[in-house]
Amino acid sequence: MNDTITQDNLYLLLPFKISYMAVMLKEDRNISLIEAIRQIYSSETYKRLEREESKAWNLGPATLYYDLTHESRKD
């Protein structure tokens, strides 16, 4: 069994992290779950998360959520 994360199997980790982030975003911004998911998938945080070489998949949902909500403040 190969337990190495690669670009080819990274997609298996993303739904778990996205679902937690979406619930947090929905509650914090009082938006629908669909809108929260849309915002996540169109974010810079998600673009980084979906690239294995960024190693962002190693981060927990709370850290990723922090990154998501602070994107516009990063230069």
Coordinates of all heavy atoms in Angstrom, one line a residue:
M1 N 0.8 -1.2 0.0 CA 0.0 0.0 0.0 C 0.9 1.2 0.0 O 1.8 1.4 0.8 CB -0.9 0.0 1.2 CG -1.8 1.2 1.3 SD -2.8 1.1 2.8 CE -3.9 2.4 2.5
N2 N 0.6 2.1 -0.9 CA 1.3 3.4 -1.0 C 0.6 4.5 -0.3 O -0.5 4.8 -0.6 CB 1.5 3.7 -2.5 CG 2.4 4.9 -2.7 OD1 2.9 5.5 -1.7 ND2 2.7 5.3 -3.9
D3 N 1.2 5.0 0.8 CA 0.5 6.1 1.6 C 1.2 7.4 1.4 O 1.1 8.3 2.2 CB 0.4 5.7 3.0 CG 1.8 5.3 3.6 OD1 2.8 5.3 2.9 OD2 1.8 5.1 4.8
T4 N 1.8 7.6 0.2 CA 2.4 8.9 -0.1 C 1.3 9.8 -0.8 O 0.6 9.3 -1.7 CB 3.6 8.7 -1.1 OG1 4.5 7.8 -0.4 CG2 4.2 10.0 -1.5
I5 N 1.3 11.0 -0.4 CA 0.3 12.0 -1.1 C 1.0 12.5 -2.3 O 2.2 13.0 -2.3 CB 0.0 13.2 -0.2 CG1 -0.6 12.7 1.2 CG2 -0.9 14.2 -0.9 CD1 -1.9 11.9 1.0
T6 N 0.3 12.4 -3.5 CA 0.8 12.9 -4.7 C -0.3 13.7 -5.4 O -1.4 13.8 -4.9 CB 1.1 11.7 -5.7 OG1 -0.1 11.1 -6.0 CG2 2.1 10.7 -5.1
Q7 N 0.0 14.4 -6.5 CA -1.0 15.2 -7.2 C -2.1 14.3 -7.6 O -3.3 14.7 -7.7 CB -0.3 15.9 -8.3 CG -1.2 17.0 -9.0 CD -1.6 18.1 -8.0 OE1 -0.7 18.6 -7.3 NE2 -2.9 18.4 -7.9
D8 N -1.8 13.0 -7.9 CA -2.8 12.1 -8.4 C -3.8 11.7 -7.4 O -5.0 11.3 -7.7 CB -2.2 10.9 -9.1 CG -1.5 11.2 -10.4 OD1 -1.9 12.2 -11.0 OD2 -0.5 10.5 -10.7
N9 N -3.5 11.7 -6.1 CA -4.4 11.2 -5.1 C -4.8 12.3 -4.1 O -5.5 12.0 -3.1 CB -3.9 10.0 -4.3 CG -2.6 10.2 -3.6 OD1 -2.2 11.4 -3.3 ND2 -1.9 9.1 -3.2
L10 N -4.3 13.5 -4.3 CA -4.6 14.6 -3.4 C -6.1 14.9 -3.3 O -6.6 15.2 -2.2 CB -3.9 15.9 -3.8 CG -4.1 17.1 -3.0 CD1 -3.6 17.0 -1.6 CD2 -3.4 18.3 -3.7
Y11 N -6.8 14.7 -4.3 CA -8.2 14.9 -4.4 C -9.0 14.1 -3.3 O -10.1 14.5 -2.9 CB -8.8 14.6 -5.8 CG -8.9 13.1 -6.0 CD1 -10.0 12.4 -5.8 CD2 -7.8 12.4 -6.6 CE1 -10.1 11.0 -6.0 CE2 -7.9 11.1 -6.8 CZ -9.0 10.4 -6.5 OH -9.1 9.0 -6.8
L12 N -8.4 13.1 -2.8 CA -9.1 12.3 -1.7 C -9.1 13.0 -0.4 O -10.0 12.8 0.4 CB -8.4 11.0 -1.5 CG -8.4 10.0 -2.8 CD1 -7.4 8.9 -2.5 CD2 -9.8 9.5 -3.0
L13 N -8.2 14.0 -0.2 CA -8.2 14.7 1.1 C -9.0 16.0 1.1 O -9.4 16.4 2.1 CB -6.7 15.1 1.4 CG -5.7 14.0 1.6 CD1 -4.3 14.6 1.8 CD2 -6.1 13.2 2.8
L14 N -9.3 16.5 -0.1 CA -9.9 17.8 -0.2 C -11.3 17.9 0.3 O -11.6 18.9 1.0 CB -9.7 18.4 -1.6 CG -8.3 18.5 -2.1 CD1 -8.2 19.2 -3.4 CD2 -7.4 19.3 -1.1
P15 N -12.2 17.0 0.0 CA -13.6 17.2 0.5 C -13.7 17.3 2.0 O -14.5 18.1 2.5 CB -14.3 15.9 0.0 CG -13.4 15.5 -1.2 CD -12.0 15.8 -0.8
F16 N -12.9 16.6 2.7 CA -13.0 16.7 4.2 C -12.7 18.1 4.6 O -13.4 18.7 5.4 CB -12.0 15.7 4.8 CG -11.7 15.9 6.3 CD1 -12.6 15.5 7.2 CD2 -10.5 16.5 6.7 CE1 -12.4 15.7 8.6 CE2 -10.3 16.7 8.0 CZ -11.2 16.3 9.0
K17 N -11.6 18.6 4.1 CA -11.1 20.0 4.5 C -12.1 21.0 4.0 O -12.5 22.0 4.8 CB -9.7 20.2 4.0 CG -8.7 19.3 4.7 CD -7.3 19.5 4.2 CE -6.4 18.4 4.8 NZ -5.9 18.8 6.1
I18 N -12.6 20.9 2.8 CA -13.5 21.9 2.2 C -14.8 21.9 3.0 O -15.4 22.9 3.3 CB -13.8 21.6 0.8 CG1 -12.5 21.7 -0.1 CG2 -14.8 22.5 0.2 CD1 -11.7 23.0 0.0
S19 N -15.3 20.7 3.4 CA -16.6 20.7 4.1 C -16.5 21.4 5.5 O -17.4 22.1 5.8 CB -17.1 19.2 4.3 OG -16.2 18.5 5.2
Y20 N -15.5 21.2 6.2 CA -15.3 21.9 7.5 C -15.2 23.4 7.2 O -15.8 24.2 7.9 CB -14.1 21.4 8.2 CG -14.3 20.2 9.1 CD1 -14.2 18.9 8.6 CD2 -14.8 20.4 10.4 CE1 -14.5 17.8 9.3 CE2 -15.1 19.3 11.2 CZ -14.9 18.0 10.6 OH -15.2 16.9 11.4
M21 N -14.4 23.8 6.2 CA -14.3 25.2 6.0 C -15.6 25.9 5.5 O -15.9 27.0 5.9 CB -13.2 25.4 4.9 CG -11.8 25.1 5.3 SD -10.6 25.0 3.9 CE -10.8 26.6 3.2
A22 N -16.3 25.1 4.7 CA -17.6 25.7 4.2 C -18.6 25.9 5.4 O -19.3 26.9 5.4 CB -18.2 24.7 3.2
V23 N -18.7 25.0 6.3 CA -19.6 25.2 7.5 C -19.1 26.4 8.3 O -20.0 27.3 8.7 CB -19.6 23.9 8.4 CG1 -20.3 24.2 9.7 CG2 -20.3 22.8 7.6
M24 N -17.8 26.6 8.5 CA -17.3 27.8 9.2 C -17.7 29.1 8.5 O -18.1 30.0 9.1 CB -15.8 27.7 9.5 CG -15.5 26.6 10.5 SD -13.7 26.6 10.9 CE -13.1 25.5 9.6
L25 N -17.4 29.1 7.2 CA -17.7 30.3 6.4 C -19.2 30.6 6.4 O -19.6 31.7 6.5 CB -17.2 30.0 5.0 CG -17.1 31.2 4.1 CD1 -16.2 32.3 4.6 CD2 -16.7 30.8 2.7
K26 N -20.0 29.6 6.2 CA -21.5 29.7 6.2 C -21.9 30.4 7.5 O -22.7 31.4 7.5 CB -22.1 28.4 6.1 CG -23.6 28.4 6.2 CD -24.2 26.9 6.2 CE -25.6 26.8 6.4 NZ -26.1 27.3 7.7
E27 N -21.4 29.9 8.6 CA -21.9 30.4 9.9 C -21.3 31.8 10.2 O -22.0 32.7 10.7 CB -21.5 29.5 11.0 CG -22.2 28.2 11.0 CD -21.7 27.1 12.0 OE1 -20.8 27.4 12.7 OE2 -22.3 26.0 12.0
D28 N -20.1 32.1 9.8 CA -19.5 33.4 10.1 C -20.0 34.5 9.2 O -20.2 35.6 9.7 CB -17.9 33.3 9.9 CG -17.2 32.6 11.0 OD1 -17.9 32.3 12.0 OD2 -16.0 32.3 10.8
R29 N -20.4 34.1 8.0 CA -20.8 35.2 7.1 C -22.3 35.1 6.8 O -22.9 35.9 6.0 CB -20.1 35.1 5.7 CG -18.6 35.3 5.9 CD -17.9 35.5 4.6 NE -16.5 35.8 4.8 CZ -15.6 35.7 3.9 NH1 -15.9 35.3 2.6 NH2 -14.4 36.0 4.1
N30 N -23.0 34.2 7.5 CA -24.5 34.0 7.3 C -24.9 33.9 5.9 O -25.7 34.7 5.4 CB -25.2 35.2 8.0 CG -26.7 34.9 8.3 OD1 -27.0 33.7 8.4 ND2 -27.5 35.9 8.3
I31 N -24.2 33.0 5.2 CA -24.5 32.8 3.8 C -24.9 31.3 3.6 O -24.8 30.5 4.5 CB -23.3 33.1 2.9 CG1 -22.1 32.2 3.3 CG2 -23.0 34.6 2.9 CD1 -20.9 32.4 2.4
S32 N -25.4 31.0 2.4 CA -25.8 29.6 2.2 C -24.6 28.7 2.1 O -23.5 29.2 1.8 CB -26.6 29.5 0.9 OG -25.8 29.6 -0.2
L33 N -24.8 27.4 2.3 CA -23.7 26.5 2.2 C -23.1 26.4 0.7 O -21.9 26.4 0.5 CB -24.1 25.1 2.6 CG -23.1 24.0 2.7 CD1 -22.0 24.4 3.7 CD2 -23.7 22.7 3.1
I34 N -24.0 26.5 -0.2 CA -23.6 26.6 -1.6 C -22.7 27.8 -1.9 O -21.7 27.7 -2.6 CB -24.9 26.6 -2.6 CG1 -25.7 25.3 -2.4 CG2 -24.4 26.8 -4.0 CD1 -25.0 24.0 -2.8
E35 N -23.1 28.9 -1.4 CA -22.3 30.1 -1.6 C -21.0 30.0 -0.9 O -20.0 30.4 -1.4 CB -23.1 31.4 -1.1 CG -22.3 32.7 -1.2 CD -21.9 33.1 -2.6 OE1 -22.5 32.6 -3.6 OE2 -20.9 33.8 -2.7
A36 N -20.9 29.4 0.3 CA -19.7 29.2 1.0 C -18.7 28.3 0.2 O -17.6 28.6 0.0 CB -19.9 28.6 2.4
I37 N -19.3 27.3 -0.4 CA -18.5 26.3 -1.2 C -18.0 27.1 -2.4 O -16.8 26.9 -2.8 CB -19.3 25.1 -1.5 CG1 -19.5 24.3 -0.3 CG2 -18.6 24.3 -2.6 CD1 -20.5 23.1 -0.4
R38 N -18.8 27.8 -3.0 CA -18.4 28.6 -4.2 C -17.3 29.5 -3.9 O -16.3 29.6 -4.6 CB -19.6 29.4 -4.8 CG -19.3 30.1 -6.1 CD -20.3 31.2 -6.5 NE -20.3 32.3 -5.6 CZ -19.4 33.2 -5.5 NH1 -18.3 33.2 -6.3 NH2 -19.5 34.2 -4.7
Q39 N -17.4 30.2 -2.8 CA -16.3 31.2 -2.4 C -15.0 30.4 -2.1 O -13.9 30.9 -2.5 CB -16.7 32.0 -1.2 CG -17.8 33.0 -1.5 CD -18.1 33.8 -0.3 OE1 -17.4 33.9 0.7 NE2 -19.3 34.4 -0.3
I40 N -15.1 29.3 -1.5 CA -13.9 28.5 -1.2 C -13.2 28.1 -2.5 O -12.0 28.2 -2.7 CB -14.2 27.3 -0.3 CG1 -14.6 27.8 1.1 CG2 -13.0 26.3 -0.2 CD1 -15.2 26.7 2.0
Y41 N -14.0 27.5 -3.4 CA -13.4 26.9 -4.7 C -12.9 28.0 -5.6 O -12.0 27.8 -6.4 CB -14.4 26.1 -5.4 CG -14.5 24.7 -4.9 CD1 -15.6 24.2 -4.2 CD2 -13.4 23.8 -5.0 CE1 -15.7 22.9 -3.7 CE2 -13.5 22.5 -4.5 CZ -14.6 22.1 -3.9 OH -14.7 20.8 -3.4
S42 N -13.3 29.3 -5.4 CA -12.8 30.4 -6.2 C -11.7 31.2 -5.5 O -11.2 32.2 -6.0 CB -13.9 31.3 -6.6 OG -14.5 31.9 -5.5
S43 N -11.2 30.7 -4.4 CA -10.2 31.4 -3.5 C -8.8 31.1 -3.9 O -8.5 30.0 -4.5 CB -10.5 31.1 -2.1 OG -10.1 29.8 -1.8
E44 N -7.9 31.9 -3.5 CA -6.5 31.7 -3.6 C -6.1 30.5 -2.7 O -5.2 29.8 -3.0 CB -5.7 32.9 -3.3 CG -5.8 34.0 -4.3 CD -5.4 33.6 -5.7 OE1 -4.3 33.0 -5.8 OE2 -6.1 33.9 -6.7
T45 N -6.7 30.4 -1.6 CA -6.4 29.4 -0.6 C -6.7 28.0 -1.3 O -5.9 27.1 -1.1 CB -7.3 29.5 0.7 OG1 -6.9 30.8 1.3 CG2 -7.0 28.4 1.6
Y46 N -7.8 27.9 -2.0 CA -8.1 26.6 -2.6 C -7.1 26.3 -3.8 O -6.6 25.2 -3.9 CB -9.5 26.5 -3.2 CG -9.8 25.2 -3.8 CD1 -10.0 24.1 -3.0 CD2 -9.7 25.0 -5.2 CE1 -10.2 22.9 -3.5 CE2 -9.9 23.8 -5.7 CZ -10.2 22.7 -4.9 OH -10.4 21.4 -5.5
K47 N -6.7 27.4 -4.5 CA -5.7 27.2 -5.6 C -4.4 26.6 -5.0 O -3.8 25.8 -5.6 CB -5.5 28.5 -6.3 CG -6.6 28.9 -7.2 CD -6.4 30.2 -7.8 CE -7.6 30.7 -8.5 NZ -7.5 32.1 -9.0
R48 N -4.0 27.1 -3.8 CA -2.8 26.6 -3.2 C -3.1 25.2 -2.6 O -2.2 24.3 -2.7 CB -2.5 27.5 -2.0 CG -1.2 27.2 -1.3 CD -0.8 28.3 -0.4 NE -1.8 28.8 0.5 CZ -1.9 28.4 1.8 NH1 -1.0 27.6 2.3 NH2 -2.9 28.8 2.5
L49 N -4.2 24.9 -2.1 CA -4.6 23.7 -1.5 C -4.6 22.5 -2.5 O -4.1 21.4 -2.2 CB -5.9 23.7 -0.8 CG -6.5 22.5 -0.1 CD1 -5.5 22.0 1.0 CD2 -7.8 22.8 0.5
E50 N -5.0 22.8 -3.7 CA -5.1 21.8 -4.7 C -3.8 21.4 -5.4 O -3.7 20.5 -6.2 CB -6.2 22.1 -5.8 CG -5.8 23.2 -6.7 CD -6.8 23.5 -7.7 OE1 -7.8 22.7 -7.9 OE2 -6.8 24.5 -8.4
R51 N -2.7 22.1 -5.0 CA -1.4 21.8 -5.6 C -0.6 21.0 -4.5 O -0.3 21.6 -3.4 CB -0.6 23.1 -5.9 CG -1.1 23.8 -7.1 CD -0.2 25.0 -7.6 NE 0.6 25.5 -6.6 CZ 0.3 26.5 -5.8 NH1 -0.9 27.1 -5.9 NH2 1.2 27.0 -4.9
E52 N -0.3 19.8 -4.8 CA 0.4 19.0 -3.8 C 1.7 19.6 -3.3 O 2.0 19.6 -2.2 CB 0.7 17.6 -4.4 CG 1.2 16.6 -3.4 CD 2.7 16.7 -3.2 OE1 3.5 17.1 -4.1 OE2 3.1 16.4 -2.0
E53 N 2.4 20.2 -4.2 CA 3.7 20.8 -3.9 C 3.7 21.9 -2.9 O 4.7 22.2 -2.2 CB 4.5 21.2 -5.1 CG 4.0 22.4 -5.9 CD 2.9 22.0 -6.9 OE1 2.6 20.9 -7.1 OE2 2.5 22.9 -7.6
S54 N 2.5 22.5 -2.7 CA 2.4 23.6 -1.7 C 2.4 23.1 -0.3 O 2.6 23.8 0.6 CB 1.1 24.4 -2.0 OG 0.0 23.6 -1.5
K55 N 2.0 21.8 -0.2 CA 1.9 21.1 1.1 C 0.8 21.7 2.0 O 0.7 21.4 3.2 CB 3.2 21.1 1.9 CG 4.4 20.4 1.1 CD 4.1 19.0 0.8 CE 5.3 18.4 0.1 NZ 5.0 17.3 -0.7
A56 N -0.1 22.5 1.4 CA -1.2 23.1 2.2 C -2.1 22.0 2.7 O -2.8 22.2 3.7 CB -1.9 24.1 1.4
W57 N -2.2 20.9 2.0 CA -3.0 19.8 2.4 C -2.6 19.3 3.8 O -3.4 18.6 4.4 CB -3.0 18.7 1.4 CG -1.6 18.2 1.0 CD1 -0.8 18.7 0.0 CD2 -0.8 17.2 1.7 NE1 0.4 18.0 0.0 CE2 0.4 17.1 1.1 CE3 -1.0 16.4 2.8 CZ2 1.4 16.3 1.5 CZ3 0.0 15.5 3.2 CH2 1.2 15.5 2.6
N58 N -1.5 19.6 4.2 CA -1.0 19.2 5.6 C -1.7 20.0 6.7 O -1.7 19.6 7.8 CB 0.5 19.4 5.7 CG 1.3 18.1 5.8 OD1 0.7 17.1 6.1 ND2 2.6 18.2 5.6
L59 N -2.2 21.2 6.3 CA -2.8 22.1 7.3 C -4.2 21.6 7.6 O -4.9 21.0 6.8 CB -2.9 23.5 6.7 CG -1.5 24.1 6.3 CD1 -1.8 25.4 5.6 CD2 -0.6 24.3 7.5
G60 N -4.6 21.9 8.9 CA -6.0 21.6 9.3 C -7.0 22.6 8.7 O -6.6 23.7 8.3
P61 N -8.3 22.2 8.8 CA -9.3 23.1 8.3 C -9.4 24.4 9.0 O -9.6 25.4 8.3 CB -10.6 22.3 8.6 CG -10.2 20.9 8.7 CD -8.8 20.9 9.3
A62 N -9.1 24.5 10.2 CA -9.1 25.8 10.9 C -8.0 26.7 10.4 O -8.2 27.9 10.2 CB -8.9 25.6 12.4
T63 N -6.8 26.2 10.2 CA -5.7 27.0 9.6 C -6.0 27.4 8.2 O -5.8 28.6 7.8 CB -4.4 26.2 9.7 OG1 -4.1 25.9 11.0 CG2 -3.3 27.0 9.1
L64 N -6.6 26.5 7.4 CA -7.0 26.9 6.0 C -8.1 27.9 6.0 O -8.1 28.8 5.2 CB -7.4 25.6 5.3 CG -6.3 24.6 5.0 CD1 -6.9 23.3 4.6 CD2 -5.4 25.2 3.9
Y65 N -9.0 27.8 7.0 CA -10.1 28.8 7.1 C -9.5 30.2 7.4 O -9.9 31.2 6.8 CB -11.1 28.4 8.1 CG -12.2 29.4 8.2 CD1 -13.2 29.5 7.2 CD2 -12.3 30.2 9.3 CE1 -14.2 30.4 7.3 CE2 -13.4 31.1 9.4 CZ -14.3 31.2 8.4 OH -15.3 32.1 8.4
Y66 N -8.6 30.2 8.3 CA -7.9 31.5 8.7 C -7.3 32.1 7.4 O -7.4 33.3 7.2 CB -6.9 31.2 9.8 CG -6.1 32.5 10.1 CD1 -6.6 33.4 11.1 CD2 -4.9 32.8 9.5 CE1 -6.0 34.5 11.4 CE2 -4.2 34.0 9.8 CZ -4.8 34.8 10.8 OH -4.1 36.0 11.1
D67 N -6.5 31.2 6.7 CA -5.9 31.7 5.5 C -6.9 32.3 4.5 O -6.7 33.3 3.9 CB -5.1 30.6 4.8 CG -3.8 30.2 5.5 OD1 -3.5 30.9 6.5 OD2 -3.2 29.2 5.2
L68 N -8.0 31.5 4.3 CA -9.1 31.9 3.4 C -9.7 33.3 3.8 O -9.9 34.2 3.0 CB -10.2 30.9 3.5 CG -11.5 31.2 2.7 CD1 -11.2 31.1 1.2 CD2 -12.6 30.3 3.1
T69 N -9.9 33.5 5.1 CA -10.5 34.8 5.6 C -9.6 35.9 5.6 O -10.0 37.1 5.8 CB -11.3 34.6 6.9 OG1 -10.3 34.1 7.9 CG2 -12.4 33.6 6.8
H70 N -8.3 35.6 5.5 CA -7.3 36.7 5.5 C -6.6 36.9 4.2 O -5.5 37.5 4.1 CB -6.3 36.4 6.7 CG -6.9 36.6 8.0 ND1 -7.7 35.6 8.6 CD2 -6.9 37.6 8.9 CE1 -8.1 36.0 9.8 NE2 -7.6 37.3 10.0
E71 N -7.1 36.3 3.1 CA -6.4 36.4 1.8 C -6.2 37.8 1.4 O -5.1 38.1 0.9 CB -7.3 35.7 0.7 CG -7.2 34.2 0.7 CD -8.0 33.6 -0.4 OE1 -8.7 34.3 -1.2 OE2 -7.9 32.4 -0.5
S72 N -7.2 38.6 1.5 CA -7.1 40.0 0.9 C -6.1 40.8 1.7 O -5.6 41.8 1.2 CB -8.4 40.7 1.0 OG -8.9 40.7 2.3
R73 N -5.7 40.4 2.9 CA -4.7 41.1 3.7 C -3.3 40.7 3.4 O -2.4 41.4 3.9 CB -5.0 40.9 5.2 CG -6.4 41.3 5.6 CD -6.6 41.1 7.0 NE -8.1 41.2 7.3 CZ -8.6 40.9 8.4 NH1 -7.9 40.4 9.4 NH2 -9.9 41.1 8.6
K74 N -3.1 39.6 2.7 CA -1.8 39.2 2.3 C -1.2 39.9 1.1 O -1.9 40.1 0.1 CB -1.7 37.7 2.1 CG -2.1 36.9 3.3 CD -2.0 35.4 3.0 CE -2.4 34.6 4.2 NZ -2.4 33.2 4.0
D75 N 0.0 40.3 1.2 CA 0.6 41.0 0.1 C 1.8 40.3 -0.4 O 2.5 39.6 0.2 CB 1.0 42.4 0.4 CG -0.2 43.3 0.7 OD1 -1.2 43.2 0.0 OD2 -0.1 44.1 1.6

